[in-house]
Amino acid sequence: MNTFQDLGLNDDLLQAITDLGFTKPSEVQDKAIPILLESEKDLVALAQTGTGKTAAFGFPMLQKIDIASRTTQGLILSPTRELCLQITNEMKLYGKYCKGLNVVAVYGGASITDQAREIKRGAQIIVATPGRMKDMISRRLVDITKIQYSVLDEADEMLNMGFKEDITDILSHTPEEKNTWLFSATMPREVSIIAKKFMKNPQEITVGNKNESTNNVSHEYYLVNSRDRYQALKRLSDANPDIFSVIFCRTKRDTQKVAENLIEDGYSAGALHGDLSQNQRDMVMKSFRNQQIQMLVATDVAARGIDVDDITHVINYQLPDEPEIYTHRSGRTGRAGKTGISMVIVSKSEVRKIKSIERIINQKFEKKEIPDGADICEVQLMSLANKIHNTEINHEIDKHLTSINELFADTDKDELIKKFFSVEFTRFYNYYNKSKNLNIAEGSFDSGRDGGRDYGGKSDSTRYFINVGSKDGFDWMKLKDFLKEVLELGRDDVFKVEVKDSFSFFNTENALKEKVLAFFTDFKHEGRFVNVEESQNRGGGGGKRRNDRRGGGKREGRSGGRRDDRKGGSGNRSDRRRGEGTSKPRRSDGNSNANRSRRSDSDSRPAVARRSRR
Ligand code: ADP
Ligand code: MG
């Protein structure tokens, strides 16, 4: 391995290198620096993050430009403002003994006139983000017609972020005979297209495996009905107990909603999107980095800077509008030599998007099935067994051992194991026991719709009496909207709504009964207590009246959404309801999973039932 002297760097640079404490060149520096110093060639260099790419192009550029001149000779393009500032800073450190050197950072979100003024003073090197650079050019605030060396840093990232046109535009203002040095962690097709287009016979160097991170990611898709998206997400997570994932949604609103639902359902999740304050985002990111959060639900824009290693799964809750964005998403996993899985939940209308993504990533997707309840129970059980097997014994227990042993004196080992595991397992079992198959066949109809056409009339739904009616300004539609809103239920969760003068009826799945009854134990609407009880009116479903629920709803504080709190089983839901005084209870279809999805389409219309209460 060479020393920095061997590479042919001048004394000013060597002095700075000593100051920086760099003792020997990194591999990419060792390979790139001699080529760039000795020849006037274009270069493509592939190396992972953290391998020292900045110095690999920075030292040669500093040595080759004419510092006595005030003309702009070097242009470095980088994807983000943070990187732009970081590179500028590094370049200044490397060039600290190069007298008269002026490196200027050009990026969005800061004053363009200040940046223009700095450039006017004579910047030999400009480090820029593509968007702001293009702006500067079109406003004629910068002259890049004398550029000799241009660097595309993190080229794959820039293309992922949709800067292709900006880059093309910027480079068209630079002279033909300049040299272009492209640095990238991966070499997707888009990058090679750019390389072909703008570079002449580039020399190529690779540190580590080419395309390493793309090859480390496998791509899977799951075909479900749109309405089952959230259930599918939960199953994918439950089937991977050690999941550490980023979940991408299309909008800030969906991002927030999915995160809230997950937290409410006992998962350790957090939201990351632009409507959060910087402070909130920092906190979420910190928890995620510490792996206190297992599922980070994020928008594309907010997740751009995420450089967390060890992410096991990327889940595309919804596909991005632009297929190109997909590469950026899936690149969050499979980093630093690890393998990762990128999962896509799609509905039938989106399947063709998979094809266009396949063309872009140059890789095939595997169509997989959402695991069924039995699979998940098995995975969870075995994961628990492994956890117990690997658990270090806490000897604080020793002193209680006699009493425990007494209690289990007549229990044999098999029975004890079964009982022990049942503590956790029964929750999962109950939850998934009657869960339906969420998968739909390609080319089939949206079967979830008509699976339970007259479902509301079956005994799996509960009919309620509510003491508001048309006198209170409700018609069936308004009442349905009102109930959906206060209970935070989905489109089809309230059905067979029947409004009378001073009272009304409606149905929900049995699984929601506890939630509905508990919620209305002390709920006021326009100053008046709204009373809901189970109805004996069979108009839409069976069930006995249960006065005992009235006033008896549990009102416990909300769980923190930590993984340990995770229950997933039915019967725990009220424990997770938000406490009094906080906002409305969250929609939490945790235990209504199997039933909700069998809802009939006709439920969005009221049934014309003529029977009145009692
Ligand atoms: P990359 O662009 O490949 O992600 P950077 O250029 O940002 O990597 O370098 C990563 C870190 O390594 C920086 O803090 C940089 O100062 C340091 N570094 C670069 N080259 C060397 C070297 N030869 N010896 C020690 N540290 C180095
Ligand atoms: Mg870099």
Side-chain angles (χ1 to χ4, degrees):
M1 188 65 102
N2 289 310
T3 62
F4 281 110
Q5 280 89 346
D6 299 336
L7 299 182
L9 294 172
N10 66 32
D11 288 344
D12 286 349
L13 292 172
L14 290 173
Q15 186 59 48
I17 289 168
T18 313
D19 290 0
L20 281 163
F22 295 0
T23 49
K24 58 178 196 311
S26 70
E27 190 180 343
V28 70
Q29 292 161 6
D30 188 52
K31 286 184 174 165
I33 292 172
I35 297 172
L36 297 181
L37 284 179
E38 285 154 27
S39 62
E40 295 294 319
K41 266 193 167 175
D42 285 356
L43 177 82
V44 171
L46 298 179
Q48 293 289 313
T49 310
T51 49
K53 294 192 287 292
T54 317
F57 61 75
F59 293 148
M61 185 182 277
L62 288 166
Q63 184 152 330
K64 292 185 98 166
I65 57 166
D66 178 6
I67 294 172
S69 156
R70 294 157 71 87
T71 310
T72 302
Q73 304 152 60
L75 173 66
I76 300 165
L77 292 177
S78 88
T80 64
R81 166 201 163 117
E82 282 73 23
L83 278 175
C84 172
L85 287 166
Q86 194 178 301
I87 294 166
T88 308
N89 193 39
E90 291 268 311
M91 291 297 280
K92 285 180 176 166
L93 289 173
Y94 303 159
K96 71 194 244 201
Y97 297 107
C98 305
K99 232 172 143 27
L101 174 70
N102 197 9
V103 185
V104 174
V106 165
Y107 53 89
S111 157
I112 196 166
T113 38
D114 287 356
Q115 291 170 357
R117 197 176 313 123
E118 277 199 68
I119 291 169
K120 258 224 159 74
R121 284 210 294 261
Q124 295 92 347
I125 297 173
I126 291 176
V127 187
T129 54
R132 173 55 67 93
M133 192 63 200
K134 206 183 138 190
D135 252 15
M136 284 233 155
I137 294 168
S138 62
R139 296 213 217 165
R140 299 181 192 288
L141 295 173
V142 61
D143 176 13
I144 53 168
T145 57
K146 308 269 160 42
I147 292 289
Q148 293 172 37
Y149 307 101
S150 63
V151 173
L152 303 176
D153 190 31
E154 307 278 358
D156 52 351
E157 208 72 359
M158 284 202 283
L159 295 175
N160 277 341
M161 289 173 64
F163 284 137
K164 186 172 160 194
E165 258 130 57
D166 287 351
I167 293 169
T168 311
D169 190 82
I170 293 164
L171 293 182
S172 74
H173 289 86
T174 60
E176 270 285 306
E177 61 278 12
K178 68 173 180 310
N179 289 136
T180 303
W181 306 338
L182 183 151
F183 286 77
S184 188
T186 61
M187 191 69 179
R189 229 166 52 111
E190 290 277 282
V191 176
S192 35
I193 290 171
I194 285 274
K196 277 213 191 74
K197 189 162 173 191
F198 293 103
M199 302 170 80
K200 288 150 286 178
N201 251 334
Q203 181 141 356
E204 210 176 297
I205 59 171
T206 303
V207 171
N209 278 335
K210 193 167 169 176
N211 264 354
E212 186 167 31
S213 72
T214 4
N215 281 339
N216 285 349
V217 180
S218 50
H219 304 265
E220 305 174 345
Y221 76 95
Y222 296 83
L223 188 58
V224 301
N225 286 323
S226 274
R227 62 166 61 185
D228 290 333
R229 238 177 245 282
Y230 180 67
Q231 299 302 337
L233 172 65
K234 290 208 301 185
R235 286 209 200 168
L236 290 174
S237 163
D238 287 342
N240 295 282
D242 295 320
I243 196 166
F244 180 52
S245 63
V246 184
I247 295 154
F248 285 98
C249 295
R250 222 172 352 217
T251 64
K252 292 183 251 192
R253 203 169 160 273
D254 288 343
T255 303
Q256 182 65 26
K257 193 98 191 114
V258 169
E260 279 178 13
N261 285 346
L262 285 172
I263 291 168
E264 198 66 22
D265 287 344
Y267 295 82
S268 81
L272 187 73
H273 55 73
D275 282 351
L276 302 173
S277 69
Q278 187 62 49
N279 192 33
Q280 285 172 311
R281 289 203 298 217
D282 289 349
M283 266 163 45
V284 171
M285 276 313 296
K286 194 170 163 217
S287 316
F288 187 58
R289 276 181 216 285
N290 296 338
Q291 305 207 4
Q292 283 160 339
I293 286 177
Q294 273 186 296
M295 302 166 91
L296 181 73
V297 191
T299 57
D300 288 295
V301 176
R304 238 164 230 183
I306 295 179
D307 56 344
V308 177
D309 290 340
D310 301 327
I311 290 171
T312 60
H313 294 75
V314 164
I315 301 181
N316 293 262
Y317 185 76
Q318 294 145 335
L319 277 175
D321 289 329
E322 303 294 324
E324 288 77 15
I325 307 264
Y326 178 84
T327 14
H328 181 72
R329 291 181 172 187
S330 61
R332 300 304 97 200
T333 183
R335 291 171 91 80
K338 306 245 172 52
T339 58
I341 298 173
S342 175
M343 299 172 154
V344 182
I345 304 174
V346 280
S347 65
K348 276 215 358 254
S349 60
E350 300 168 310
V351 173
R352 59 194 166 74
K353 288 191 182 171
I354 294 286
K355 297 279 170 267
S356 43
I357 292 173
E358 283 181 338
R359 279 193 292 275
I360 288 169
I361 60 174
N362 211 5
Q363 252 175 296
K364 283 270 171 220
F365 272 82
E366 187 183 349
K367 180 175 186 300
K368 297 194 79 169
E369 302 268 293
I370 297 283
D372 65 18
D375 294 340
I376 291 172
C377 285
E378 188 183 343
V379 167
Q380 288 287 341
L381 187 63
M382 290 321 293
S383 156
L384 180 63
N386 272 313
K387 211 176 279 172
I388 291 168
H389 187 74
N390 297 331
T391 292
E392 219 168 283
I393 292 174
N394 181 340
H395 288 286
E396 283 303 303
I397 291 168
D398 295 357
K399 56 180 179 252
H400 307 290
L401 212 54
T402 324
S403 351
I404 294 174
N405 274 330
E406 262 169 39
L407 193 60
F408 291 106
D410 297 328
T411 316
D412 68 24
K413 184 185 167 192
D414 270 5
E415 196 185 348
L416 185 63
I417 287 179
K418 282 182 201 168
K419 276 181 186 251
F420 186 82
F421 278 88
S422 298
V423 173
E424 275 292 320
F425 180 68
T426 303
R427 287 201 281 251
F428 265 97
Y429 179 77
N430 288 344
Y431 179 63
Y432 278 117
N433 187 16
K434 292 199 182 96
S435 61
K436 74 158 189 170
N437 180 4
L438 295 183
N439 299 291
I440 53 171
E442 234 151 318
S444 77
F445 286 104
D446 193 348
S447 58
R449 291 257 167 119
D450 47 18
R453 184 141 281 283
D454 60 352
Y455 195 59
K458 288 184 183 161
S459 56
D460 315 40
S461 83
T462 302
R463 186 133 178 99
Y464 307 86
F465 161 84
I466 182 167
N467 65 339
V468 294
S470 53
K471 274 186 177 164
D472 305 288
F474 287 104
D475 58 20
W476 71 266
M477 226 162 10
K478 284 185 184 144
L479 183 60
K480 183 173 165 150
D481 285 346
F482 167 78
L483 290 166
K484 280 189 320 196
E485 194 189 316
V486 297
L487 291 161
E488 297 224 347
L489 296 176
R491 190 169 68 101
D492 300 324
D493 286 336
V494 176
F495 48 102
K496 294 202 185 289
V497 181
E498 193 186 348
V499 176
K500 306 283 178 193
D501 264 7
S502 55
F503 57 88
S504 310
F505 298 98
F506 65 95
N507 280 32
T508 74
E509 300 291 1
N510 286 347
L512 289 169
K513 179 158 78 183
E514 207 186 332
K515 173 177 180 162
V516 171
L517 293 173
F519 180 78
F520 284 106
T521 50
D522 59 353
F523 181 80
K524 271 188 178 174
H525 176 63
E526 295 182 350
R528 196 179 124 200
F529 274 107
V530 177
N531 173 25
V532 170
E533 23 182 293
E534 196 172 339
S535 168
Q536 288 178 328
N537 173 338
R538 313 292 289 186
K544 284 179 264 121
R545 186 161 165 214
R546 285 181 53 193
N547 284 325
D548 58 343
R549 294 295 317 175
R550 300 184 57 190
K554 268 197 232 157
R555 292 271 164 167
E556 286 170 30
R558 176 189 183 194
S559 92
R562 288 181 38 237
R563 183 65 169 191
D564 301 349
D565 295 318
R566 171 179 197 165
K567 290 172 174 109
S570 56
N572 289 307
R573 196 143 47 104
S574 59
D575 297 337
R576 277 187 242 133
R577 193 179 352 265
R578 286 180 172 219
E580 219 169 350
T582 63
S583 60
K584 297 164 278 184
R586 293 285 146 199
R587 164 183 182 171
S588 130
D589 32 20
N591 55 2
S592 59
N593 163 46
N595 300 325
R596 266 176 34 91
S597 36
R598 287 163 57 199
R599 177 65 34 63
S600 148
D601 192 32
S602 65
D603 294 330
S604 50
R605 293 181 293 277
V608 189
R610 308 235 175 267
R611 273 152 288 188
S612 62
R613 186 184 179 219
R614 272 166 274 186

